[in-house]
Amino acid sequence: MEKLHNKSDTTKGILFLICSAFFFALMAVFVKLSGDISFVQKAFFRNAVAFLIAAGGTFGDIRAKGKSVIIIPKGALLFLILRAIAGSVGIFGNFYAIDRIVLADATILNKMAPFFTLIFSFIIIGEKIKPIPLICVIVAFLGSILIVKPSFNFTQMLPTGAAFMGGVGAGLAYASVRKLSYLKCNGKIIILFFSAFSMTLSVPYMIVNFNPMSFFQILMLVFAGICAAGGQFSVTAAYYHAPPNKISIYDYTQILFSMIFGFFLFGQIPDFLSLTGYFVIIAMAVLNFIYTKKHCESENVSVSVGD
């Protein structure tokens, strides 16, 4: 019965992660369609919508279940702050890149997050990294260099560097979510805290450099916020149901969604080096997934025999 429950949780985690990938790919489209606005301002409105949706869900839970849903468990505050800081780095880096490089490039660099999730899960939670996954992380990092294309042209390299750092931030954020799940912290509280924190970071810049927006731009950012909320709730639910080493490979479906959107909506075609980088990173993700799945199955067999 326990194994059946674990398989069910893993399946739910996979489905939630694919939903998250679709929502985040669509969010990037709306962010790009919103036009010539500061990436900080875009991030603010994206988080504002997500905050309102999370707040509505939280207050709905309070009415139904009482005040206990807003209690922050002991030890959770540190990881709520860490998740908020890391998630903000992830959003700012990703939004800065979306407006300046090919949509699929920004996505694949952001999708370095599952690899960094493994590393940070080891640091924060103590989830072990086997030799094969570690090799996959190293090779994937080398593959990302093909997309970043390091050069002495800082202006040209900055957007891809920002996208990469966004992936690092997202990886730390997801590992923090996993830790918060162990601490039994309510998922809506995690999203609410993160959205409020990221909005607060944006306020000083907004006061000094606010760009007036047209109705169309506001509408696009509202849609981006709705998609972001859908992505946040989905990814939070995914890592609540299953650990990163069982489901993170499915996060790469966002690359497929982004390439389709990028080609049909913006006429974007990644160059050869970027495509090679995609192949390397995805290949390592697949290898890591296959290895982890076989390793987990062999461990389950050993446990069953021992029992």
Side-chain angles (χ1 to χ4, degrees):
M1 184 65 68
E2 186 175 346
K3 284 186 181 179
L4 183 62
H5 175 72
N6 289 338
K7 287 181 180 179
S8 175
D9 279 350
T10 300
T11 301
K12 289 178 182 177
I14 290 169
L15 292 175
F16 276 123
L17 206 55
I18 292 174
C19 287
S20 169
F22 176 79
F23 279 127
F24 281 131
L26 197 57
M27 177 203 73
V29 170
F30 287 127
V31 168
K32 196 170 185 67
L33 287 173
S34 64
D36 189 20
I37 309 171
S38 165
F39 71 96
V40 177
Q41 188 167 326
K42 290 181 179 182
F44 175 86
F45 280 92
R46 170 251 192 250
N47 286 320
V49 175
F51 176 83
L52 291 174
I53 293 173
T58 301
F59 290 126
D61 284 348
I62 292 173
R63 287 183 179 179
K65 303 175 184 178
K67 294 182 179 180
S68 60
V69 296
I70 63 172
I71 293 175
I72 297 176
K74 184 178 180 180
L77 182 59
L78 173 63
F79 294 100
L80 281 172
I81 294 172
L82 185 61
R83 188 264 181 270
I85 294 172
S88 297
V89 171
I91 285 181
F92 290 140
N94 190 32
F95 276 30
Y96 182 83
I98 285 171
D99 286 336
R100 293 163 176 82
I101 59 177
V102 173
L103 196 61
D105 280 8
T107 299
I108 191 67
L109 288 171
N110 189 256
K111 289 304 120 183
M112 287 295 291
F115 292 103
F116 287 109
T117 301
L118 293 176
I119 295 173
F120 289 124
S121 292
F122 168 73
I123 296 171
I124 295 173
I125 308 172
E127 291 181 345
K128 294 181 179 179
I129 306 177
K130 301 293 183 179
I132 295 298
L134 181 60
I135 291 172
C136 290
V137 169
I138 294 170
V139 176
F141 175 79
L142 296 175
S144 71
I145 293 176
L146 296 174
I147 305 169
V148 174
K149 303 176 186 69
S151 70
F152 291 105
N153 188 334
F154 180 76
T155 303
Q156 185 177 359
M157 187 180 165
L158 185 58
T160 49
F164 180 81
M165 287 307 299
V168 175
L172 178 54
Y174 295 159
S176 299
V177 168
R178 188 67 185 156
K179 176 66 175 181
L180 288 165
S181 73
Y182 287 133
L183 296 172
K184 307 299 182 183
C185 186
N186 186 290
K188 292 186 180 70
I189 295 298
I190 297 173
I191 297 171
L192 197 65
F193 190 95
F194 159 63
S195 299
F197 182 91
S198 192
M199 284 169 59
T200 303
L201 285 182
S202 304
V203 169
Y205 182 92
M206 294 268 292
I207 293 174
V208 178
N209 297 292
F210 183 80
N211 301 120
M213 298 182 294
S214 66
F215 175 76
F216 176 79
Q217 289 174 318
I218 294 173
L219 191 63
M220 291 300 98
L221 290 179
V222 169
F223 286 151
I226 292 171
C227 289
Q232 282 293 329
F233 278 108
S234 297
V235 76
T236 300
Y239 286 120
Y240 245 73
H241 281 91
N245 59 9
K246 285 189 177 182
I247 64 172
S248 59
I249 181 65
Y250 296 97
D251 202 17
Y252 285 85
T253 54
Q254 186 179 340
I255 300 164
L256 176 62
F257 295 135
S258 293
M259 289 184 71
I260 292 172
F261 290 145
F263 178 76
F264 285 103
L265 296 177
F266 308 111
Q268 296 177 338
I269 303 176
D271 62 26
F272 177 74
L273 281 178
S274 290
L275 288 172
T276 304
Y278 298 175
F279 175 78
V280 171
I281 293 173
I282 294 173
M284 290 303 100
V286 171
L287 176 61
N288 177 63
F289 175 76
I290 293 172
Y291 170 82
T292 303
K293 185 177 180 182
K294 287 184 177 180
H295 183 74
C296 288
E297 287 176 352
S298 64
E299 281 189 343
N300 288 336
V301 170
S302 298
V303 170
S304 297
V305 172
D307 289 343

